[in-house]
Amino acid sequence: MSKVEDFLTANEELEIVNAIVEAEKNTSGEIRVHIEPMSNKPHFERAQEVFHYLKMDNTKEENGVLIYIAVHDKKFVIYGDKGINRVVPDNFWDNTKTILENHFKKGDFKQGIIEGILMAGKELETHFPWQHNNTNELSNEVSKG
């Protein structure tokens, strides 16, 4: 088994999907999680590639957020689309990043991802509130590379 397969159980992945559904209830923002073993590129650059590969840059409000995790490298990136970056301060993802870091340092990956997702949803709600005509534009499934 690879590190990616060992990283989360099927039940933990389901809990993460449920957290995404919950986080997106109050925002038009779209949140995804991508897990892979490692990257041969700088992690931010790889997160950009994955973001594009998952077609996260095709949302109506350009408000997709990717939580990218390179398991073996012990690195993660929170990558937001340009619609988000146009309206939020530079330190916008700091709270989400801190939550992930604190849980990851303790080896509590699932809980870190869940709480990070919920925080991201809460943060996005201010700038991208849910509207009655919003549709879920992206899959909520955890993707793997």
Side-chain angles (χ1 to χ4, degrees):
M1 263 206 202
S2 75
K3 288 219 180 235
V4 172
E5 292 166 336
D6 292 338
F7 189 67
L8 298 168
T9 67
N11 284 338
E12 289 173 331
E13 282 189 35
L14 182 58
E15 289 180 61
I16 289 168
V17 169
N18 290 336
I20 292 170
V21 170
E22 183 65 30
E24 290 180 353
K25 281 183 180 175
N26 296 314
T27 179
S28 63
E30 296 284 339
I31 302 168
R32 294 228 36 201
V33 174
H34 180 82
I35 301 168
E36 59 186 27
M38 59 191 292
S39 175
N40 294 324
K41 299 179 178 186
H43 294 93
F44 185 81
E45 185 179 320
R46 179 63 183 143
Q48 286 178 303
E49 282 183 354
V50 170
F51 190 88
H52 181 70
Y53 175 77
L54 295 174
K55 299 188 180 346
M56 294 185 69
D57 48 3
N58 292 339
T59 60
K60 185 171 75 170
E61 295 184 61
E62 299 178 318
N63 59 354
V65 178
L66 175 65
I67 297 175
Y68 166 85
I69 302 165
V71 176
H72 180 72
D73 296 343
K74 297 184 179 178
K75 299 285 185 186
F76 71 88
V77 173
I78 303 166
Y79 184 82
D81 203 354
K82 57 189 164 205
I84 295 170
N85 294 335
R86 273 196 293 266
V87 298
V88 301
D90 289 340
N91 65 347
F92 184 72
W93 297 116
D94 286 358
N95 291 333
T96 304
K97 179 182 162 200
T98 299
I99 287 170
L100 286 163
E101 282 176 344
N102 289 340
H103 282 285
F104 283 14
K105 285 177 185 174
K106 295 185 277 187
D108 194 2
F109 303 110
K110 176 207 70 162
Q111 197 59 35
I113 295 168
I114 287 173
E115 290 185 26
I117 288 165
L118 295 174
M119 175 58 74
K122 184 176 178 179
E123 299 277 347
L124 285 169
E125 185 179 345
T126 305
H127 300 281
F128 297 94
W130 185 87
Q131 307 288 329
H132 74 281
N133 62 343
N134 283 140
T135 59
N136 190 14
E137 297 178 78
L138 300 173
S139 170
N140 296 332
E141 298 301 312
V142 175
S143 64
K144 296 177 186 162

PDB file of all heavy atoms in Angstrom, residues 70-86:
ATOM      1  N   ALA A  70       0.830  16.746   0.042  1.00  0.00           N
ATOM      2  CA  ALA A  70       1.851  15.804  -0.421  1.00  0.00           C
ATOM      3  C   ALA A  70       2.289  15.010   0.810  1.00  0.00           C
ATOM      4  O   ALA A  70       3.046  15.502   1.651  1.00  0.00           O
ATOM      5  CB  ALA A  70       3.027  16.543  -1.048  1.00  0.00           C
ATOM      6  N   VAL A  71       1.782  13.791   0.931  1.00  0.00           N
ATOM      7  CA  VAL A  71       1.920  12.997   2.152  1.00  0.00           C
ATOM      8  C   VAL A  71       3.377  12.715   2.512  1.00  0.00           C
ATOM      9  O   VAL A  71       3.818  13.015   3.620  1.00  0.00           O
ATOM     10  CB  VAL A  71       1.132  11.670   2.018  1.00  0.00           C
ATOM     11  CG1 VAL A  71       1.334  10.788   3.238  1.00  0.00           C
ATOM     12  CG2 VAL A  71      -0.335  11.940   1.786  1.00  0.00           C
ATOM     13  N   HIS A  72       4.124  12.135   1.590  1.00  0.00           N
ATOM     14  CA  HIS A  72       5.512  11.760   1.872  1.00  0.00           C
ATOM     15  C   HIS A  72       6.379  12.997   2.149  1.00  0.00           C
ATOM     16  O   HIS A  72       7.265  12.964   2.997  1.00  0.00           O
ATOM     17  CB  HIS A  72       6.093  10.957   0.708  1.00  0.00           C
ATOM     18  CG  HIS A  72       7.508  10.528   0.918  1.00  0.00           C
ATOM     19  ND1 HIS A  72       7.863   9.547   1.820  1.00  0.00           N
ATOM     20  CD2 HIS A  72       8.667  10.961   0.352  1.00  0.00           C
ATOM     21  CE1 HIS A  72       9.179   9.396   1.800  1.00  0.00           C
ATOM     22  NE2 HIS A  72       9.686  10.242   0.917  1.00  0.00           N
ATOM     23  N   ASP A  73       6.087  14.087   1.444  1.00  0.00           N
ATOM     24  CA  ASP A  73       6.852  15.322   1.613  1.00  0.00           C
ATOM     25  C   ASP A  73       6.492  16.060   2.905  1.00  0.00           C
ATOM     26  O   ASP A  73       7.200  16.979   3.311  1.00  0.00           O
ATOM     27  CB  ASP A  73       6.601  16.276   0.441  1.00  0.00           C
ATOM     28  CG  ASP A  73       7.078  15.714  -0.881  1.00  0.00           C
ATOM     29  OD1 ASP A  73       7.876  14.746  -0.895  1.00  0.00           O
ATOM     30  OD2 ASP A  73       6.639  16.241  -1.922  1.00  0.00           O
ATOM     31  N   LYS A  74       5.347  15.682   3.500  1.00  0.00           N
ATOM     32  CA  LYS A  74       4.833  16.353   4.703  1.00  0.00           C
ATOM     33  C   LYS A  74       4.621  17.846   4.448  1.00  0.00           C
ATOM     34  O   LYS A  74       4.995  18.700   5.247  1.00  0.00           O
ATOM     35  CB  LYS A  74       5.754  16.120   5.892  1.00  0.00           C
ATOM     36  CG  LYS A  74       5.852  14.656   6.270  1.00  0.00           C
ATOM     37  CD  LYS A  74       6.682  14.433   7.488  1.00  0.00           C
ATOM     38  CE  LYS A  74       6.705  12.955   7.790  1.00  0.00           C
ATOM     39  NZ  LYS A  74       7.519  12.616   8.927  1.00  0.00           N
ATOM     40  N   LYS A  75       3.983  18.146   3.306  1.00  0.00           N
ATOM     41  CA  LYS A  75       3.705  19.526   2.910  1.00  0.00           C
ATOM     42  C   LYS A  75       2.249  19.654   2.491  1.00  0.00           C
ATOM     43  O   LYS A  75       1.651  18.698   1.988  1.00  0.00           O
ATOM     44  CB  LYS A  75       4.584  19.943   1.723  1.00  0.00           C
ATOM     45  CG  LYS A  75       6.065  19.904   1.999  1.00  0.00           C
ATOM     46  CD  LYS A  75       6.495  21.048   2.846  1.00  0.00           C
ATOM     47  CE  LYS A  75       8.014  21.045   3.004  1.00  0.00           C
ATOM     48  NZ  LYS A  75       8.462  22.062   3.924  1.00  0.00           N
ATOM     49  N   PHE A  76       1.699  20.847   2.668  1.00  0.00           N
ATOM     50  CA  PHE A  76       0.368  21.127   2.154  1.00  0.00           C
ATOM     51  C   PHE A  76       0.317  22.568   1.665  1.00  0.00           C
ATOM     52  O   PHE A  76       1.124  23.408   2.069  1.00  0.00           O
ATOM     53  CB  PHE A  76      -0.734  20.866   3.199  1.00  0.00           C
ATOM     54  CG  PHE A  76      -0.769  21.856   4.330  1.00  0.00           C
ATOM     55  CD1 PHE A  76      -1.508  23.024   4.225  1.00  0.00           C
ATOM     56  CD2 PHE A  76      -0.072  21.618   5.503  1.00  0.00           C
ATOM     57  CE1 PHE A  76      -1.543  23.946   5.258  1.00  0.00           C
ATOM     58  CE2 PHE A  76      -0.105  22.533   6.548  1.00  0.00           C
ATOM     59  CZ  PHE A  76      -0.845  23.688   6.425  1.00  0.00           C
ATOM     60  N   VAL A  77      -0.630  22.815   0.777  1.00  0.00           N
ATOM     61  CA  VAL A  77      -0.847  24.150   0.222  1.00  0.00           C
ATOM     62  C   VAL A  77      -2.348  24.411   0.219  1.00  0.00           C
ATOM     63  O   VAL A  77      -3.130  23.528  -0.128  1.00  0.00           O
ATOM     64  CB  VAL A  77      -0.312  24.250  -1.232  1.00  0.00           C
ATOM     65  CG1 VAL A  77      -0.684  25.585  -1.865  1.00  0.00           C
ATOM     66  CG2 VAL A  77       1.192  24.025  -1.282  1.00  0.00           C
ATOM     67  N   ILE A  78      -2.725  25.607   0.604  1.00  0.00           N
ATOM     68  CA  ILE A  78      -4.110  26.050   0.443  1.00  0.00           C
ATOM     69  C   ILE A  78      -4.082  27.023  -0.728  1.00  0.00           C
ATOM     70  O   ILE A  78      -3.444  28.067  -0.659  1.00  0.00           O
ATOM     71  CB  ILE A  78      -4.642  26.736   1.709  1.00  0.00           C
ATOM     72  CG1 ILE A  78      -4.532  25.793   2.904  1.00  0.00           C
ATOM     73  CG2 ILE A  78      -6.084  27.193   1.498  1.00  0.00           C
ATOM     74  CD1 ILE A  78      -4.722  26.467   4.246  1.00  0.00           C
ATOM     75  N   TYR A  79      -4.735  26.630  -1.812  1.00  0.00           N
ATOM     76  CA  TYR A  79      -4.665  27.420  -3.036  1.00  0.00           C
ATOM     77  C   TYR A  79      -6.062  27.913  -3.406  1.00  0.00           C
ATOM     78  O   TYR A  79      -6.962  27.114  -3.642  1.00  0.00           O
ATOM     79  CB  TYR A  79      -4.069  26.593  -4.180  1.00  0.00           C
ATOM     80  CG  TYR A  79      -3.877  27.385  -5.441  1.00  0.00           C
ATOM     81  CD1 TYR A  79      -2.752  28.185  -5.607  1.00  0.00           C
ATOM     82  CD2 TYR A  79      -4.831  27.370  -6.445  1.00  0.00           C
ATOM     83  CE1 TYR A  79      -2.580  28.940  -6.756  1.00  0.00           C
ATOM     84  CE2 TYR A  79      -4.663  28.117  -7.600  1.00  0.00           C
ATOM     85  CZ  TYR A  79      -3.538  28.904  -7.742  1.00  0.00           C
ATOM     86  OH  TYR A  79      -3.373  29.649  -8.872  1.00  0.00           O
ATOM     87  N   GLY A  80      -6.230  29.229  -3.444  1.00  0.00           N
ATOM     88  CA  GLY A  80      -7.508  29.826  -3.814  1.00  0.00           C
ATOM     89  C   GLY A  80      -7.448  30.447  -5.198  1.00  0.00           C
ATOM     90  O   GLY A  80      -6.401  30.934  -5.625  1.00  0.00           O
ATOM     91  N   ASP A  81      -8.574  30.418  -5.884  1.00  0.00           N
ATOM     92  CA  ASP A  81      -8.668  30.959  -7.233  1.00  0.00           C
ATOM     93  C   ASP A  81      -8.582  32.489  -7.217  1.00  0.00           C
ATOM     94  O   ASP A  81      -8.706  33.132  -6.164  1.00  0.00           O
ATOM     95  CB  ASP A  81      -9.976  30.504  -7.886  1.00  0.00           C
ATOM     96  CG  ASP A  81      -9.927  30.523  -9.407  1.00  0.00           C
ATOM     97  OD1 ASP A  81      -8.927  30.992  -9.981  1.00  0.00           O
ATOM     98  OD2 ASP A  81     -10.905  30.054 -10.023  1.00  0.00           O
ATOM     99  N   LYS A  82      -8.426  33.068  -8.394  1.00  0.00           N
ATOM    100  CA  LYS A  82      -8.208  34.517  -8.506  1.00  0.00           C
ATOM    101  C   LYS A  82      -9.390  35.349  -8.040  1.00  0.00           C
ATOM    102  O   LYS A  82      -9.208  36.473  -7.583  1.00  0.00           O
ATOM    103  CB  LYS A  82      -7.792  34.883  -9.931  1.00  0.00           C
ATOM    104  CG  LYS A  82      -8.755  34.464 -11.010  1.00  0.00           C
ATOM    105  CD  LYS A  82      -8.134  34.686 -12.382  1.00  0.00           C
ATOM    106  CE  LYS A  82      -8.925  33.908 -13.408  1.00  0.00           C
ATOM    107  NZ  LYS A  82      -8.150  33.584 -14.569  1.00  0.00           N
ATOM    108  N   GLY A  83     -10.597  34.833  -8.120  1.00  0.00           N
ATOM    109  CA  GLY A  83     -11.754  35.572  -7.615  1.00  0.00           C
ATOM    110  C   GLY A  83     -11.662  35.796  -6.119  1.00  0.00           C
ATOM    111  O   GLY A  83     -12.060  36.845  -5.601  1.00  0.00           O
ATOM    112  N   ILE A  84     -11.112  34.824  -5.414  1.00  0.00           N
ATOM    113  CA  ILE A  84     -10.900  34.958  -3.972  1.00  0.00           C
ATOM    114  C   ILE A  84      -9.766  35.934  -3.717  1.00  0.00           C
ATOM    115  O   ILE A  84      -9.894  36.864  -2.921  1.00  0.00           O
ATOM    116  CB  ILE A  84     -10.586  33.586  -3.338  1.00  0.00           C
ATOM    117  CG1 ILE A  84     -11.784  32.649  -3.466  1.00  0.00           C
ATOM    118  CG2 ILE A  84     -10.181  33.750  -1.872  1.00  0.00           C
ATOM    119  CD1 ILE A  84     -11.494  31.212  -3.085  1.00  0.00           C
ATOM    120  N   ASN A  85      -8.659  35.719  -4.411  1.00  0.00           N
ATOM    121  CA  ASN A  85      -7.475  36.544  -4.179  1.00  0.00           C
ATOM    122  C   ASN A  85      -7.706  38.021  -4.476  1.00  0.00           C
ATOM    123  O   ASN A  85      -7.024  38.873  -3.904  1.00  0.00           O
ATOM    124  CB  ASN A  85      -6.296  36.009  -4.988  1.00  0.00           C
ATOM    125  CG  ASN A  85      -5.876  34.634  -4.507  1.00  0.00           C
ATOM    126  OD1 ASN A  85      -6.102  34.261  -3.368  1.00  0.00           O
ATOM    127  ND2 ASN A  85      -5.281  33.866  -5.397  1.00  0.00           N
ATOM    128  N   ARG A  86      -8.669  38.328  -5.350  1.00  0.00           N
ATOM    129  CA  ARG A  86      -8.978  39.730  -5.660  1.00  0.00           C
ATOM    130  C   ARG A  86      -9.625  40.464  -4.483  1.00  0.00           C
ATOM    131  O   ARG A  86      -9.524  41.680  -4.401  1.00  0.00           O
ATOM    132  CB  ARG A  86      -9.937  39.809  -6.845  1.00  0.00           C
ATOM    133  CG  ARG A  86      -9.273  39.805  -8.192  1.00  0.00           C
ATOM    134  CD  ARG A  86     -10.222  40.267  -9.295  1.00  0.00           C
ATOM    135  NE  ARG A  86     -11.316  39.344  -9.528  1.00  0.00           N
ATOM    136  CZ  ARG A  86     -11.313  38.377 -10.436  1.00  0.00           C
ATOM    137  NH1 ARG A  86     -10.258  38.187 -11.198  1.00  0.00           N
ATOM    138  NH2 ARG A  86     -12.349  37.596 -10.582  1.00  0.00           N
TER     139      ARG A  86
END
